[in-house]
Amino acid sequence: MQKGEAGSSVGNSATRVVKSMTEGNPAALILSFMLPLLLGNIFQQAYNMVDGMIVGQMLGADALAAVGSSSSVQFLILGLCIGTCAGFSIPISQRFGAGDEEGVRRYVYHSIILSALLAVVMTTVTAILCMPILRLMQTPADILEDAYSYLFIIFLGIPFTVLYNMTAGMLRAVGNSRAPFVFLAVSTFLNIFLDMFCIAVLHWGCAGAAIATIASQALSGFFCLIYILRKVPLLYAGRVERRLDSATAKTLVAMGIPMGLQYSITAIGSMVMQASNNSLGSVYVSGFTAGTKLKQLFLCPFDAMATSIATFISQNYGALRMDRVKKGLRQTRVMGVLYGAAAGTILILFGKNLSMLFLSADNAASLDASVRYLRCMGYLFWVLGFLHCFRNELQALGYSGRAMLAGVIEMGARSFVATIFVPVFGYTAICWTDQAAWCSATVYLVIMGLASFEKRVREVGGNSERSTIN
């Protein structure tokens, strides 16, 4: 297969399930790839939202606080796994864009080995340290037992989280964002049923919500795996590719670990922020939990945009089409800022209505805390359009270390505001902590993103036949 002809030599059945993004209108390609991702992200958040709605309405505000008191810890641990799997998919996407089928399969095989190792290590460590983590987070004593039962089960399900994100990342790397969405949608409906069954019928409380989430995640992961084995031979490593190669493994580690750490480093700042908020009492914990779940829902389009632009850039960088990379980046930035402005307006005007999905009118103090958090966030939500676009540009162009530094900046900003200002200004400082992190990281990313793109353009112009993976 020649460069720029990704997928052209794949069998008929595979041709229908992989797609090159190296030809055609960038905006149209990105949007068509983004739509299933967006729906998938919404269904992914539906896992957490259904948990929150059912727990909050059926078990009360304290139970909702127990489920939400460890959300930043989950972001830290699961984010490391999700980010690492996303990093593993970038070399696959670059090889696909370059038309290198053998390279695609070689990276797939090594991704499986490394992902399995990641799942074993993370599950073991987090299960052992679950209670110390919750105590470190200053989880209120009245919700500690429920928080532990929920978080411990979530940690035991890490292998299923890795399975889904690994297989879904492989499919997206070769231009297929529809199959992961379909499987995630099916498992989400199962999650709704299991939530109701485990909580309302079996009376398992917060543990039941965690069991429902993990079972649904496992189903979506196995569906993706079976789909790959049956429909996408491009992603099935043969005997030739199933040989351990240190150079291939090092490339994956160099891409995956920084992306995983970026998620986790960002989460450390969120943990400091949540610990500060936990110290304010259960009322603010439940209000913050409701606001955070809504924030995650409104972040779904940004997450879908980020994955779409990363895949688009990776494939076109692999095909040495930097002109298309530039055009796609420009169009995506405009889309991101426009969405951020519209979503921010909704959060400002309708925060109370949205918060009542999780909190009843009887919990007036918690409801007010959620509304305040959403209103403050809405003013600067548009900044995320720049942040996600530039960060994923750096990752897709191979500058994962530079992208990780943005996570360090976010962590520093969140930790500084939470540590210094929350003791003085209380919950008001919590409401502005995220925005301080976003703005700080965005300034760095814009400067670094523009400089890094120009460097890659010069490299491609100087040697158009060079390998895109060093």
Side-chain angles (χ1 to χ4, degrees):
M1 187 162 34
Q2 299 299 313
K3 290 185 182 297
E5 297 178 351
S8 61
S9 70
V10 181
N12 290 336
S13 62
T15 302
R16 295 193 295 269
V17 295
V18 301
K19 182 178 182 180
S20 172
M21 302 178 76
T22 58
E23 299 292 340
N25 181 269
L29 287 168
I30 291 170
L31 285 172
S32 64
F33 187 84
M34 178 179 169
L35 181 58
L37 279 172
L38 173 58
L39 295 174
N41 286 341
I42 291 174
F43 279 115
Q44 185 86 56
Q45 291 306 319
Y47 280 160
N48 297 324
M49 289 192 67
V50 168
D51 286 344
M53 292 169 64
I54 294 176
V55 169
Q57 297 293 346
M58 298 184 66
L59 300 178
D62 283 349
L64 179 63
V67 170
S69 63
S70 62
S71 60
S72 60
V73 178
Q74 294 180 54
F75 182 29
L76 171 69
I77 303 302
L78 301 183
L80 176 62
C81 300
I82 293 169
T84 302
C85 290
F88 290 165
S89 71
I90 286 179
I92 298 173
S93 186
Q94 290 178 345
R95 289 295 87 206
F96 179 71
D100 179 8
E101 289 188 22
E102 182 180 340
V104 168
R105 296 189 182 102
R106 186 173 68 253
Y107 279 104
V108 164
Y109 175 70
H110 285 76
S111 293
I112 293 171
I113 300 298
L114 293 173
S115 295
L117 179 62
L118 174 70
V120 170
V121 172
M122 294 302 298
T123 302
T124 303
V125 172
T126 55
I128 293 173
L129 297 179
C130 185
M131 182 58 78
I133 289 173
L134 287 171
R135 294 190 185 281
L136 181 65
M137 290 292 297
Q138 302 181 53
T139 305
D142 56 339
I143 61 174
L144 181 62
E145 183 177 349
D146 282 341
Y148 175 77
S149 63
Y150 182 83
L151 186 61
F152 183 74
I153 294 170
I154 292 295
F155 283 162
L156 291 182
I158 284 176
F160 302 125
T161 300
V162 171
L163 175 64
Y164 173 74
N165 285 280
M166 177 192 70
T167 52
M170 291 174 181
L171 288 168
R172 291 164 184 159
V174 296
N176 188 334
S177 59
R178 294 183 181 180
F181 155 66
V182 172
F183 301 142
L184 194 61
V186 172
S187 65
T188 297
F189 286 112
L190 174 64
N191 184 59
I192 295 172
F193 168 78
L194 288 176
D195 259 322
M196 296 295 296
F197 182 73
C198 292
I199 294 176
V201 178
L202 299 179
H203 304 291
W204 286 351
C206 294
I211 292 171
T213 298
I214 292 306
S216 302
Q217 185 84 64
L219 182 66
S220 59
F222 283 118
F223 276 163
C224 283
L225 179 61
I226 294 170
Y227 181 83
I228 289 174
L229 293 175
R230 291 186 175 182
K231 298 290 187 179
V232 197
L234 175 63
L235 296 177
Y236 184 78
R239 183 175 301 176
V240 175
E241 294 88 11
R242 289 200 299 267
R243 294 181 300 181
L244 293 177
D245 174 63
S246 60
T248 302
K250 287 178 181 178
T251 297
L252 286 169
V253 170
M255 293 299 298
I257 298 302
M259 283 190 67
L261 289 175
Q262 173 197 304
Y263 279 64
S264 296
I265 289 170
T266 302
I268 292 173
S270 297
M271 288 179 64
V272 175
M273 174 184 175
Q274 185 157 25
S276 297
N277 187 68
N278 287 351
S279 68
L280 299 177
S282 299
V283 168
Y284 289 112
V285 173
S286 57
F288 179 74
T289 297
T292 299
K293 288 184 178 296
L294 289 165
K295 177 184 73 173
Q296 291 169 345
L297 176 63
F298 277 82
L299 285 175
C300 285
F302 285 128
D303 294 335
M305 180 191 75
T307 303
S308 300
I309 193 62
T311 302
F312 176 84
I313 293 173
S314 295
Q315 287 194 16
N316 283 278
Y317 178 44
L320 309 177
R321 295 294 307 275
M322 299 304 290
D323 57 324
R324 290 177 56 76
V325 171
K326 182 176 182 179
K327 186 175 182 180
L329 281 168
R330 184 173 63 248
Q331 293 172 337
T332 308
R333 288 170 199 155
V334 173
M335 289 189 289
V337 172
L338 289 177
Y339 165 72
T345 301
I346 293 173
L347 292 172
I348 293 169
L349 298 178
F350 302 103
K352 183 175 182 179
N353 304 80
L354 294 169
S355 298
M356 290 182 71
L357 291 171
F358 302 96
L359 296 164
S360 65
D362 295 337
N363 298 304
S366 297
L367 187 62
D368 177 67
S370 177
V371 172
R372 288 169 59 191
Y373 178 71
L374 295 175
R375 183 185 302 118
C376 294
M377 182 170 56
Y379 295 131
L380 290 172
F381 208 63
W382 58 271
V383 173
L384 291 170
F386 289 108
L387 186 149
H388 282 80
C389 193
F390 279 101
R391 181 166 61 195
N392 282 273
E393 171 198 344
L394 288 172
Q395 292 168 345
L397 292 178
Y399 293 112
S400 55
R402 297 180 183 183
M404 183 181 69
L405 184 55
V408 175
I409 294 173
E410 284 195 64
M411 177 193 69
R414 278 194 178 89
S415 300
F416 178 79
V417 174
T419 302
I420 302 301
F421 292 104
V422 171
V424 179
F425 298 102
Y427 189 70
T428 299
I430 292 290
C431 292
W432 289 100
T433 301
D434 278 331
Q435 296 88 314
W438 299 342
C439 292
S440 300
T442 299
V443 171
Y444 160 79
L445 284 168
V446 170
I447 296 172
M448 190 60 65
L450 293 174
S452 299
F453 175 79
E454 292 302 323
K455 181 179 179 180
R456 287 302 193 212
V457 169
R458 290 192 298 270
E459 291 175 354
V460 170
N463 183 8
S464 62
E465 294 300 319
R466 64 159 179 76
S467 170
T468 59
I469 298 182
N470 299 316

